Amino acid sequence: LAHTEDSAVQAPLHLAAARAAATAGDYSTARDHASTATMALDDLGDEVQAGRAAAVHASVLNQLGENAAAVAVAERRWDALEDRDDAGTALLDLAAVLARAHMRLGDFDAMAVYTERMLLLAEGSNDTTALATALLRMGTRYMSIGAPAAARVNYEAAAKLAREHDLLDPLAVALLNLASQYNSRDLAAALRHAREATEVARRTGDQPNIDYAIGNHLIAEWQTGELVSHDGLLGEALETATDPSIRATLRTLQVWLAEATGEPVLEFDDDYLTSTDDQGLLAWQDSADITRALVDGDPARAASIAAVSITRLHSAFRIDDDFCVLWPPLVLADRKSTRLN
């Protein structure tokens, strides 16, 4: 970039830099490069490549917990390209991020629309990676409507497809989704999938995958009680994790662990987000706040937080996935409060 002023050369370089920064977990840098690439490609009149750059921009906003902004960036490009025969790859990128962003907002119906489009686009283009990713999204959709067996079939199909074609990224995501599903059903299976997900994610070099795999691994360790003796893993994860959602999860696990072992329960202002619309992230932060309130001897405040958090929790996970991990603290807050029946 420093050696050229030709916008036709700079635009793809900015896009490549955005993708590299996102893979490394440097989301602010990725956002800036993706936005610049999109504007440059617009100026060059390349709507299709501008759509792909916008998909990267939206994906980074999604990682930062700015999901409504991600939808705003991506949907405009989707609408502009939807009827074009030469925009299949861009539409595939946009459908993937729109499905994910709507999921993070708790709008599973909108997520289903884009997941189905992604599935059809992947089938039409013979893109195996995209097909595996679409199967994963479809699994999450089934989970949201109360069909966990169908969800598991999709996760396992995505994992099988990824193994057959040596696709590490979708394999890591499939394994961590299976770990998350088994957290409330079979803890031995959850740990087994979580450990493999962590190993595979580290082989990808993709920081978001690594963060989510380690996060699910540590949740499984908490569920089994092993995190108490493996608390060093939590400290190591906090040193490397960059995803805001996972950092919220890790900080909450840290609060739970401190409360369980009689250690001081600390505040983590640097990792506390108030500007996010990520319902799952907010639910995890709420759980840490509930634990702090109970430790402080203020069950009324804990119950007040819980009354708000249950809506976020259900919006993010329905009654599966992390719901089963975050539900018990809400019940405890309710039972300890003298204000609620």
Side-chain angles (χ1 to χ4, degrees), residues 193-284:
H193 284 100
R195 288 174 180 139
E196 186 182 1
T198 302
E199 293 169 3
V200 173
R202 283 177 170 149
R203 287 166 59 198
T204 71
D206 184 275
Q207 190 61 44
N209 277 350
I210 295 169
D211 287 351
Y212 274 89
I214 291 175
N216 274 279
H217 185 188
L218 291 175
I219 290 170
E221 293 250 344
W222 168 260
Q223 295 281 82
T224 61
E226 294 184 23
L227 190 58
V228 175
S229 57
H230 297 164
D231 60 325
L233 294 175
L234 184 53
E236 291 172 10
L238 282 163
E239 288 179 4
T240 59
T242 61
D243 186 279
S245 179
I246 293 302
R247 291 199 66 82
T249 300
L250 298 177
R251 289 301 192 188
T252 300
L253 290 173
Q254 199 170 29
V255 168
W256 290 350
L257 187 61
E259 188 274 336
T261 56
E263 296 294 324
V265 176
L266 304 176
E267 300 283 347
F268 304 108
D269 294 339
D270 290 345
D271 283 320
Y272 199 90
L273 295 183
T274 57
S275 59
T276 183
D277 54 18
D278 188 315
Q279 299 302 297
L281 188 161
L282 290 168
W284 276 98

Coordinates of all heavy atoms in Angstrom, one line a residue, residues 193-284:
H193 N -15.5 -33.1 22.3 CA -15.6 -32.3 21.1 C -14.9 -30.9 21.3 O -14.3 -30.4 20.3 CB -17.1 -32.0 20.8 CG -17.8 -33.2 20.1 ND1 -18.6 -34.1 20.8 CD2 -17.8 -33.6 18.8 CE1 -19.0 -35.0 20.0 NE2 -18.6 -34.8 18.8
A194 N -15.0 -30.4 22.5 CA -14.3 -29.1 22.8 C -12.8 -29.2 22.6 O -12.2 -28.3 22.1 CB -14.7 -28.6 24.2
R195 N -12.2 -30.3 23.1 CA -10.8 -30.4 23.0 C -10.3 -30.6 21.5 O -9.4 -30.0 21.1 CB -10.3 -31.7 23.8 CG -10.4 -31.4 25.3 CD -10.1 -32.7 26.1 NE -10.1 -32.5 27.5 CZ -10.6 -33.3 28.4 NH1 -11.2 -34.5 28.0 NH2 -10.6 -33.0 29.7
E196 N -11.1 -31.4 20.8 CA -10.8 -31.5 19.4 C -11.0 -30.2 18.6 O -10.2 -29.8 17.8 CB -11.6 -32.6 18.7 CG -11.1 -32.9 17.3 CD -11.9 -33.9 16.5 OE1 -12.9 -34.5 17.1 OE2 -11.6 -34.2 15.3
A197 N -12.0 -29.5 19.0 CA -12.3 -28.2 18.3 C -11.1 -27.2 18.6 O -10.7 -26.5 17.7 CB -13.6 -27.5 18.9
T198 N -10.6 -27.2 19.8 CA -9.5 -26.3 20.1 C -8.2 -26.7 19.3 O -7.5 -25.9 18.8 CB -9.1 -26.4 21.6 OG1 -10.3 -26.1 22.4 CG2 -8.0 -25.5 22.0
E199 N -8.0 -28.0 19.2 CA -6.8 -28.5 18.4 C -6.9 -28.1 16.9 O -6.0 -27.6 16.3 CB -6.7 -30.0 18.5 CG -6.3 -30.5 19.9 CD -6.5 -32.0 20.0 OE1 -6.8 -32.7 19.0 OE2 -6.3 -32.5 21.2
V200 N -8.1 -28.3 16.4 CA -8.4 -28.0 15.0 C -8.3 -26.4 14.8 O -7.7 -26.0 13.8 CB -9.7 -28.5 14.5 CG1 -10.0 -28.0 13.1 CG2 -9.7 -30.0 14.5
A201 N -8.9 -25.7 15.7 CA -8.9 -24.2 15.5 C -7.5 -23.7 15.5 O -7.2 -22.8 14.8 CB -9.8 -23.6 16.6
R202 N -6.7 -24.2 16.4 CA -5.3 -23.7 16.5 C -4.5 -24.0 15.1 O -3.7 -23.3 14.7 CB -4.6 -24.4 17.6 CG -5.0 -23.7 19.0 CD -4.3 -24.4 20.2 NE -4.5 -23.6 21.4 CZ -4.6 -24.1 22.6 NH1 -4.6 -25.4 22.7 NH2 -4.8 -23.3 23.6
R203 N -4.9 -25.1 14.5 CA -4.3 -25.4 13.2 C -4.7 -24.5 12.1 O -4.0 -24.2 11.2 CB -4.6 -26.9 12.8 CG -3.9 -27.9 13.6 CD -4.5 -29.3 13.4 NE -4.5 -29.7 12.0 CZ -5.2 -30.7 11.5 NH1 -6.1 -31.3 12.3 NH2 -5.1 -31.0 10.3
T204 N -5.9 -23.9 12.3 CA -6.4 -22.9 11.2 C -5.6 -21.6 11.3 O -5.5 -20.9 10.3 CB -7.9 -22.6 11.4 OG1 -8.1 -21.8 12.6 CG2 -8.7 -23.9 11.5
G205 N -5.2 -21.2 12.5 CA -4.6 -19.9 12.7 C -5.6 -18.8 12.7 O -5.2 -17.6 12.8
D206 N -6.9 -19.1 12.7 CA -7.9 -18.1 12.7 C -8.3 -17.8 14.2 O -8.9 -18.6 14.9 CB -9.1 -18.7 12.0 CG -10.2 -17.7 11.8 OD1 -11.1 -17.5 12.8 OD2 -10.3 -17.0 10.8
Q207 N -8.0 -16.5 14.6 CA -8.2 -16.2 16.0 C -9.6 -16.3 16.5 O -9.9 -16.8 17.6 CB -7.6 -14.8 16.3 CG -7.5 -14.4 17.7 CD -6.6 -15.3 18.5 OE1 -5.5 -15.7 18.1 NE2 -7.1 -15.8 19.7
P208 N -10.6 -15.9 15.7 CA -12.0 -16.0 16.1 C -12.3 -17.5 16.4 O -13.0 -17.8 17.4 CB -12.8 -15.5 15.0 CG -11.9 -14.5 14.3 CD -10.5 -15.0 14.4
N209 N -11.9 -18.4 15.5 CA -12.2 -19.8 15.7 C -11.5 -20.3 17.0 O -12.1 -21.1 17.8 CB -11.7 -20.7 14.5 CG -12.7 -20.7 13.4 OD1 -13.8 -20.3 13.6 ND2 -12.3 -21.2 12.3
I210 N -10.2 -19.9 17.2 CA -9.5 -20.3 18.4 C -10.2 -19.8 19.7 O -10.4 -20.5 20.6 CB -8.1 -19.7 18.3 CG1 -7.3 -20.4 17.2 CG2 -7.3 -20.0 19.7 CD1 -6.0 -19.7 16.9
D211 N -10.7 -18.5 19.6 CA -11.4 -17.9 20.8 C -12.6 -18.7 21.1 O -12.8 -19.1 22.3 CB -11.7 -16.5 20.5 CG -10.6 -15.5 20.5 OD1 -9.4 -16.0 20.9 OD2 -10.7 -14.4 20.2
Y212 N -13.4 -19.0 20.1 CA -14.7 -19.7 20.4 C -14.4 -21.2 20.8 O -15.2 -21.7 21.7 CB -15.6 -19.7 19.2 CG -16.4 -18.4 19.1 CD1 -16.0 -17.3 18.5 CD2 -17.7 -18.4 19.7 CE1 -16.7 -16.1 18.5 CE2 -18.5 -17.2 19.7 CZ -18.0 -16.1 19.1 OH -18.7 -14.9 19.1
A213 N -13.5 -21.8 20.3 CA -13.2 -23.2 20.6 C -12.7 -23.2 22.1 O -13.1 -24.1 22.9 CB -12.1 -23.8 19.7
I214 N -11.8 -22.3 22.5 CA -11.3 -22.3 23.9 C -12.4 -21.9 24.8 O -12.6 -22.5 25.9 CB -10.1 -21.3 24.0 CG1 -8.9 -21.9 23.2 CG2 -9.7 -21.1 25.4 CD1 -7.7 -21.0 23.2
G215 N -13.3 -21.0 24.4 CA -14.4 -20.6 25.2 C -15.3 -21.8 25.5 O -15.7 -22.0 26.7
N216 N -15.6 -22.5 24.5 CA -16.5 -23.7 24.7 C -15.8 -24.8 25.5 O -16.5 -25.5 26.3 CB -16.9 -24.3 23.3 CG -18.2 -23.6 22.8 OD1 -19.3 -23.9 23.2 ND2 -18.0 -22.6 21.9
H217 N -14.5 -24.9 25.3 CA -13.8 -25.9 26.1 C -13.8 -25.5 27.6 O -14.1 -26.4 28.5 CB -12.3 -25.9 25.6 CG -11.5 -27.0 26.3 ND1 -10.1 -27.0 26.1 CD2 -11.8 -27.9 27.2 CE1 -9.6 -28.0 26.9 NE2 -10.6 -28.6 27.5
L218 N -13.6 -24.2 27.9 CA -13.6 -23.8 29.3 C -15.0 -23.9 29.9 O -15.2 -24.2 31.1 CB -13.1 -22.4 29.4 CG -11.6 -22.3 29.1 CD1 -11.1 -20.9 29.1 CD2 -10.7 -23.1 30.1
I219 N -16.1 -23.6 29.1 CA -17.4 -23.8 29.6 C -17.7 -25.3 30.0 O -18.2 -25.6 31.1 CB -18.5 -23.4 28.6 CG1 -18.5 -21.8 28.4 CG2 -19.9 -23.8 29.0 CD1 -19.3 -21.3 27.2
A220 N -17.2 -26.2 29.2 CA -17.3 -27.6 29.5 C -16.6 -28.0 30.8 O -17.0 -28.7 31.6 CB -16.9 -28.5 28.3
E221 N -15.4 -27.4 30.9 CA -14.6 -27.6 32.1 C -15.3 -27.1 33.4 O -15.3 -27.7 34.4 CB -13.2 -26.9 32.0 CG -12.3 -27.5 30.9 CD -11.1 -28.3 31.5 OE1 -10.8 -28.1 32.6 OE2 -10.5 -29.1 30.7
W222 N -16.0 -25.9 33.2 CA -16.7 -25.4 34.4 C -17.9 -26.3 34.7 O -18.1 -26.6 35.9 CB -17.3 -24.0 34.0 CG -18.3 -23.5 35.0 CD1 -19.7 -23.5 34.9 CD2 -18.0 -23.0 36.3 NE1 -20.3 -23.0 36.0 CE2 -19.3 -22.7 36.9 CE3 -16.9 -22.7 37.0 CZ2 -19.4 -22.2 38.2 CZ3 -17.0 -22.2 38.3 CH2 -18.3 -21.9 38.9
Q223 N -18.6 -26.8 33.7 CA -19.7 -27.7 33.9 C -19.3 -29.0 34.6 O -20.1 -29.5 35.4 CB -20.4 -28.1 32.6 CG -21.0 -26.9 31.8 CD -22.4 -26.5 32.4 OE1 -22.4 -25.8 33.4 NE2 -23.4 -27.0 31.8
T224 N -18.1 -29.5 34.3 CA -17.7 -30.8 34.9 C -17.0 -30.5 36.3 O -16.7 -31.5 37.0 CB -16.7 -31.5 34.0 OG1 -15.5 -30.7 33.8 CG2 -17.3 -31.9 32.7
G225 N -16.7 -29.3 36.6 CA -16.0 -29.0 37.8 C -14.5 -29.0 37.7 O -13.7 -28.7 38.6
E226 N -14.0 -29.3 36.5 CA -12.5 -29.4 36.3 C -11.8 -28.0 36.2 O -10.6 -28.0 36.4 CB -12.3 -30.2 35.0 CG -12.7 -31.7 35.1 CD -12.3 -32.5 33.9 OE1 -11.4 -32.1 33.2 OE2 -13.0 -33.5 33.6
L227 N -12.6 -27.0 36.0 CA -12.0 -25.7 35.8 C -11.3 -25.2 37.1 O -10.4 -24.5 37.1 CB -13.0 -24.6 35.4 CG -12.5 -23.3 34.9 CD1 -11.5 -23.4 33.8 CD2 -13.6 -22.3 34.5
V228 N -11.8 -25.7 38.2 CA -11.2 -25.3 39.5 C -9.8 -25.7 39.6 O -8.9 -25.0 40.1 CB -12.0 -25.9 40.7 CG1 -11.4 -25.6 42.0 CG2 -13.5 -25.3 40.7
S229 N -9.5 -26.9 39.1 CA -8.1 -27.4 39.1 C -7.3 -27.0 37.9 O -6.1 -27.2 37.8 CB -8.1 -28.9 39.3 OG -8.8 -29.5 38.2
H230 N -8.0 -26.4 36.9 CA -7.3 -26.0 35.6 C -7.5 -24.5 35.4 O -7.6 -24.1 34.3 CB -7.9 -26.8 34.4 CG -7.7 -28.3 34.5 ND1 -8.4 -29.1 33.6 CD2 -6.9 -29.0 35.2 CE1 -8.1 -30.4 33.9 NE2 -7.1 -30.3 34.8
D231 N -7.5 -23.8 36.5 CA -7.7 -22.3 36.4 C -6.7 -21.6 35.6 O -6.9 -20.5 35.0 CB -7.9 -21.7 37.8 CG -6.7 -21.8 38.6 OD1 -6.0 -22.9 38.5 OD2 -6.3 -20.9 39.4
G232 N -5.5 -22.2 35.4 CA -4.5 -21.6 34.6 C -4.9 -21.5 33.1 O -4.5 -20.6 32.4
L233 N -5.7 -22.4 32.7 CA -6.2 -22.4 31.3 C -7.0 -21.1 31.1 O -7.0 -20.5 30.0 CB -7.1 -23.6 31.0 CG -6.4 -25.0 31.0 CD1 -7.5 -26.0 30.8 CD2 -5.4 -25.0 29.9
L234 N -7.8 -20.7 32.1 CA -8.6 -19.5 31.9 C -7.7 -18.2 31.8 O -8.0 -17.4 31.0 CB -9.5 -19.3 33.2 CG -10.5 -18.2 33.2 CD1 -11.4 -18.2 31.9 CD2 -11.4 -18.3 34.4
G235 N -6.7 -18.2 32.6 CA -5.7 -17.0 32.5 C -5.0 -17.0 31.2 O -4.9 -15.9 30.6
E236 N -4.6 -18.2 30.7 CA -4.0 -18.2 29.3 C -5.0 -17.8 28.2 O -4.6 -17.0 27.3 CB -3.5 -19.7 29.1 CG -2.4 -20.1 29.9 CD -2.1 -21.6 29.8 OE1 -2.7 -22.2 28.8 OE2 -1.3 -22.2 30.6
A237 N -6.2 -18.2 28.3 CA -7.2 -17.8 27.3 C -7.4 -16.3 27.3 O -7.5 -15.6 26.3 CB -8.5 -18.5 27.6
L238 N -7.4 -15.7 28.5 CA -7.6 -14.2 28.6 C -6.5 -13.4 28.1 O -6.6 -12.3 27.6 CB -7.9 -13.8 30.1 CG -9.3 -14.1 30.6 CD1 -9.4 -14.1 32.1 CD2 -10.3 -13.1 30.0
E239 N -5.3 -14.0 28.0 CA -4.1 -13.4 27.5 C -4.2 -13.3 26.0 O -3.6 -12.4 25.4 CB -2.8 -14.1 27.9 CG -2.5 -13.9 29.4 CD -1.2 -14.7 29.7 OE1 -0.6 -15.3 28.8 OE2 -0.9 -14.7 30.9
T240 N -4.9 -14.2 25.3 CA -4.9 -14.3 23.9 C -6.2 -13.9 23.2 O -6.2 -13.5 22.0 CB -4.4 -15.7 23.4 OG1 -5.4 -16.6 23.9 CG2 -3.0 -16.0 23.9
A241 N -7.3 -14.1 23.9 CA -8.6 -13.9 23.3 C -8.9 -12.4 22.9 O -8.5 -11.5 23.6 CB -9.7 -14.4 24.2
T242 N -9.4 -12.2 21.7 CA -9.7 -10.9 21.2 C -11.1 -10.7 20.9 O -11.6 -9.5 20.8 CB -8.9 -10.6 19.9 OG1 -9.3 -11.5 18.9 CG2 -7.4 -10.7 20.1
D243 N -11.9 -11.7 20.7 CA -13.3 -11.6 20.4 C -14.1 -11.0 21.6 O -14.0 -11.7 22.7 CB -13.9 -12.9 20.0 CG -15.4 -12.8 19.5 OD1 -16.2 -12.8 20.4 OD2 -15.6 -12.8 18.3
P244 N -14.8 -9.9 21.5 CA -15.5 -9.4 22.7 C -16.5 -10.3 23.3 O -16.6 -10.3 24.6 CB -16.2 -8.1 22.1 CG -15.4 -7.8 20.9 CD -14.9 -9.1 20.3
S245 N -17.2 -11.1 22.5 CA -18.2 -12.0 23.1 C -17.5 -13.1 23.9 O -18.0 -13.4 25.0 CB -19.0 -12.7 22.0 OG -19.9 -13.6 22.5
I246 N -16.4 -13.6 23.4 CA -15.7 -14.6 24.2 C -15.0 -14.0 25.4 O -15.0 -14.7 26.5 CB -14.6 -15.3 23.3 CG1 -15.4 -16.1 22.2 CG2 -13.7 -16.3 24.1 CD1 -16.3 -17.2 22.7
R247 N -14.5 -12.8 25.3 CA -13.9 -12.2 26.5 C -15.0 -12.0 27.6 O -14.7 -12.2 28.8 CB -13.3 -10.9 26.1 CG -12.0 -11.0 25.3 CD -11.1 -9.8 25.3 NE -10.6 -9.5 26.6 CZ -9.5 -10.1 27.1 NH1 -8.8 -11.0 26.4 NH2 -9.0 -9.9 28.3
A248 N -16.2 -11.7 27.2 CA -17.3 -11.6 28.2 C -17.5 -12.9 28.8 O -17.8 -13.0 30.1 CB -18.6 -11.1 27.5
T249 N -17.5 -14.0 28.0 CA -17.7 -15.4 28.6 C -16.6 -15.7 29.6 O -16.8 -16.2 30.7 CB -17.7 -16.4 27.4 OG1 -18.8 -16.1 26.6 CG2 -17.9 -17.8 28.0
L250 N -15.3 -15.4 29.2 CA -14.2 -15.8 30.0 C -14.2 -15.0 31.3 O -13.9 -15.5 32.4 CB -12.9 -15.5 29.3 CG -12.7 -16.3 28.0 CD1 -11.4 -15.9 27.3 CD2 -12.6 -17.8 28.3
R251 N -14.6 -13.7 31.2 CA -14.6 -12.9 32.4 C -15.7 -13.4 33.4 O -15.5 -13.4 34.6 CB -14.9 -11.4 32.1 CG -13.7 -10.7 31.4 CD -12.5 -10.7 32.3 NE -11.4 -9.8 31.8 CZ -10.2 -9.8 32.3 NH1 -9.9 -10.5 33.4 NH2 -9.3 -8.9 31.8
T252 N -16.8 -13.8 32.8 CA -17.9 -14.4 33.7 C -17.5 -15.7 34.3 O -17.7 -15.9 35.5 CB -19.2 -14.6 32.8 OG1 -19.6 -13.4 32.3 CG2 -20.3 -15.2 33.7
L253 N -16.8 -16.5 33.6 CA -16.2 -17.8 34.2 C -15.3 -17.4 35.3 O -15.2 -18.1 36.3 CB -15.5 -18.6 33.1 CG -16.4 -19.3 32.1 CD1 -15.6 -19.9 31.0 CD2 -17.3 -20.3 32.7
Q254 N -14.5 -16.4 35.1 CA -13.5 -15.9 36.1 C -14.3 -15.5 37.4 O -13.8 -15.8 38.5 CB -12.7 -14.8 35.6 CG -11.4 -14.5 36.3 CD -10.5 -13.5 35.6 OE1 -11.0 -12.7 34.8 NE2 -9.2 -13.7 35.7
V255 N -15.4 -14.8 37.2 CA -16.2 -14.3 38.4 C -16.8 -15.5 39.1 O -16.7 -15.6 40.3 CB -17.3 -13.3 37.9 CG1 -18.3 -13.1 39.0 CG2 -16.7 -12.0 37.5
W256 N -17.4 -16.5 38.3 CA -17.9 -17.7 38.9 C -16.9 -18.5 39.7 O -17.1 -18.9 40.8 CB -18.5 -18.6 37.8 CG -19.8 -18.0 37.2 CD1 -20.5 -17.0 37.5 CD2 -20.4 -18.6 36.0 NE1 -21.6 -16.8 36.7 CE2 -21.5 -17.8 35.7 CE3 -20.1 -19.7 35.2 CZ2 -22.4 -18.1 34.7 CZ3 -21.0 -20.0 34.1 CH2 -22.1 -19.1 33.9
L257 N -15.7 -18.6 39.1 CA -14.6 -19.4 39.7 C -14.2 -18.7 41.0 O -14.0 -19.4 42.0 CB -13.5 -19.5 38.7 CG -12.3 -20.4 39.2 CD1 -12.8 -21.9 39.4 CD2 -11.2 -20.4 38.1
A258 N -14.0 -17.4 41.0 CA -13.6 -16.7 42.2 C -14.7 -16.8 43.3 O -14.3 -17.1 44.5 CB -13.5 -15.2 41.9
E259 N -16.0 -16.7 43.0 CA -17.0 -16.9 44.0 C -17.0 -18.3 44.5 O -17.2 -18.5 45.7 CB -18.4 -16.6 43.3 CG -19.5 -16.5 44.3 CD -20.2 -17.9 44.5 OE1 -20.0 -18.8 43.7 OE2 -20.8 -18.1 45.6
A260 N -16.8 -19.3 43.7 CA -16.8 -20.7 44.1 C -15.7 -21.1 45.0 O -15.8 -22.0 45.8 CB -16.9 -21.6 42.8
T261 N -14.5 -20.4 44.8 CA -13.3 -20.7 45.6 C -13.0 -19.8 46.7 O -12.0 -19.9 47.4 CB -12.1 -20.8 44.6 OG1 -12.0 -19.6 43.9 CG2 -12.3 -21.9 43.6
G262 N -13.9 -18.8 46.9 CA -13.8 -17.9 48.0 C -12.8 -16.8 47.7 O -12.3 -16.1 48.7
E263 N -12.4 -16.6 46.5 CA -11.5 -15.5 46.1 C -12.2 -14.2 45.9 O -13.4 -14.2 45.6 CB -10.7 -15.9 44.8 CG -9.8 -17.1 45.0 CD -8.7 -16.9 45.9 OE1 -8.1 -15.7 46.0 OE2 -8.3 -17.8 46.7
P264 N -11.5 -13.0 45.9 CA -12.2 -11.8 45.6 C -12.8 -11.7 44.2 O -12.2 -12.2 43.3 CB -11.1 -10.7 45.8 CG -10.1 -11.4 46.6 CD -10.1 -12.8 46.3
V265 N -14.0 -11.3 44.1 CA -14.7 -11.1 42.8 C -14.4 -9.7 42.3 O -14.9 -8.7 42.9 CB -16.2 -11.4 42.9 CG1 -16.9 -11.1 41.6 CG2 -16.5 -12.8 43.4
L266 N -13.7 -9.6 41.2 CA -13.2 -8.4 40.7 C -14.1 -7.8 39.6 O -14.9 -8.5 39.0 CB -11.8 -8.5 40.2 CG -10.7 -9.1 41.1 CD1 -9.4 -9.3 40.4 CD2 -10.5 -8.2 42.3
E267 N -13.9 -6.5 39.4 CA -14.5 -5.8 38.2 C -13.6 -5.9 37.1 O -12.4 -5.9 37.2 CB -14.8 -4.3 38.6 CG -15.8 -4.2 39.8 CD -17.2 -4.4 39.4 OE1 -17.5 -4.5 38.2 OE2 -18.0 -4.5 40.3
F268 N -14.2 -5.9 35.9 CA -13.3 -6.0 34.6 C -13.8 -4.9 33.7 O -14.4 -5.2 32.6 CB -13.4 -7.4 34.0 CG -13.0 -8.5 35.0 CD1 -14.0 -9.3 35.5 CD2 -11.7 -8.6 35.3 CE1 -13.6 -10.3 36.4 CE2 -11.3 -9.6 36.2 CZ -12.3 -10.5 36.7
D269 N -13.6 -3.7 34.0 CA -14.1 -2.5 33.3 C -13.6 -2.5 31.8 O -14.4 -2.1 30.9 CB -13.7 -1.2 33.9 CG -14.4 -1.1 35.3 OD1 -15.4 -1.7 35.5 OD2 -13.9 -0.3 36.1
D270 N -12.4 -2.9 31.6 CA -11.8 -2.9 30.2 C -12.6 -3.8 29.2 O -12.6 -3.5 28.0 CB -10.3 -3.2 30.2 CG -9.5 -2.2 30.9 OD1 -10.0 -1.0 31.1 OD2 -8.3 -2.5 31.2
D271 N -13.2 -4.8 29.8 CA -13.9 -5.8 28.9 C -15.4 -5.7 29.0 O -16.1 -6.5 28.4 CB -13.5 -7.2 29.3 CG -12.1 -7.6 28.8 OD1 -11.8 -7.3 27.7 OD2 -11.4 -8.3 29.6
Y272 N -15.9 -4.7 29.7 CA -17.3 -4.5 29.9 C -17.9 -3.6 28.8 O -17.5 -2.5 28.6 CB -17.6 -3.9 31.3 CG -19.0 -4.2 31.7 CD1 -19.4 -5.3 32.4 CD2 -20.0 -3.3 31.4 CE1 -20.7 -5.5 32.9 CE2 -21.3 -3.5 31.8 CZ -21.7 -4.6 32.5 OH -22.9 -4.8 32.9
L273 N -18.8 -4.2 28.0 CA -19.3 -3.4 26.8 C -20.8 -3.0 27.2 O -21.6 -3.8 27.6 CB -19.4 -4.3 25.6 CG -18.0 -4.7 25.0 CD1 -18.2 -5.5 23.7 CD2 -17.1 -3.6 24.8
T274 N -21.0 -1.7 26.9 CA -22.4 -1.2 27.0 C -23.0 -0.8 25.7 O -24.2 -0.6 25.6 CB -22.4 0.0 28.0 OG1 -21.5 1.0 27.4 CG2 -21.9 -0.4 29.4
S275 N -22.2 -0.7 24.7 CA -22.6 -0.2 23.4 C -23.0 -1.4 22.4 O -23.4 -1.1 21.3 CB -21.5 0.7 22.7 OG -20.3 -0.1 22.5
T276 N -22.9 -2.6 22.9 CA -23.1 -3.7 22.0 C -24.6 -4.1 21.9 O -25.4 -3.8 22.8 CB -22.4 -5.0 22.4 OG1 -22.6 -6.1 21.5 CG2 -22.8 -5.4 23.8
D277 N -25.0 -4.7 20.8 CA -26.4 -5.2 20.7 C -26.4 -6.7 20.6 O -27.4 -7.3 20.2 CB -27.1 -4.6 19.4 CG -26.3 -4.7 18.1 OD1 -25.4 -5.6 18.1 OD2 -26.6 -4.0 17.2
D278 N -25.3 -7.3 20.9 CA -25.1 -8.8 20.9 C -25.8 -9.3 22.1 O -25.3 -9.2 23.3 CB -23.6 -9.1 20.9 CG -23.4 -10.6 20.7 OD1 -24.1 -11.4 21.3 OD2 -22.5 -11.0 19.8
Q279 N -27.0 -10.0 22.0 CA -27.8 -10.4 23.1 C -27.1 -11.5 23.9 O -27.2 -11.5 25.1 CB -29.1 -10.9 22.6 CG -29.9 -9.9 21.9 CD -30.2 -8.7 22.7 OE1 -30.9 -8.8 23.8 NE2 -29.7 -7.5 22.3
G280 N -26.3 -12.4 23.3 CA -25.6 -13.4 24.0 C -24.5 -12.8 24.9 O -24.3 -13.2 26.0
L281 N -23.7 -11.9 24.3 CA -22.7 -11.2 25.1 C -23.3 -10.5 26.3 O -22.7 -10.6 27.4 CB -22.0 -10.2 24.1 CG -20.7 -9.5 24.6 CD1 -19.9 -8.9 23.5 CD2 -21.0 -8.3 25.6
L282 N -24.4 -9.8 26.1 CA -25.0 -9.1 27.2 C -25.5 -10.1 28.3 O -25.4 -9.8 29.5 CB -26.2 -8.2 26.7 CG -25.8 -7.0 25.9 CD1 -27.0 -6.4 25.2 CD2 -25.1 -5.9 26.7
A283 N -26.0 -11.2 27.9 CA -26.5 -12.2 28.8 C -25.3 -12.7 29.7 O -25.5 -12.9 30.9 CB -27.2 -13.4 28.1
W284 N -24.1 -12.9 29.1 CA -23.0 -13.4 29.8 C -22.5 -12.3 30.8 O -22.2 -12.6 32.0 CB -21.8 -13.8 28.9 CG -21.9 -15.2 28.4 CD1 -22.4 -15.6 27.2 CD2 -21.5 -16.3 29.1 NE1 -22.4 -17.0 27.1 CE2 -21.8 -17.5 28.3 CE3 -20.9 -16.6 30.3 CZ2 -21.5 -18.8 28.6 CZ3 -20.7 -17.9 30.7 CH2 -21.0 -19.0 29.9

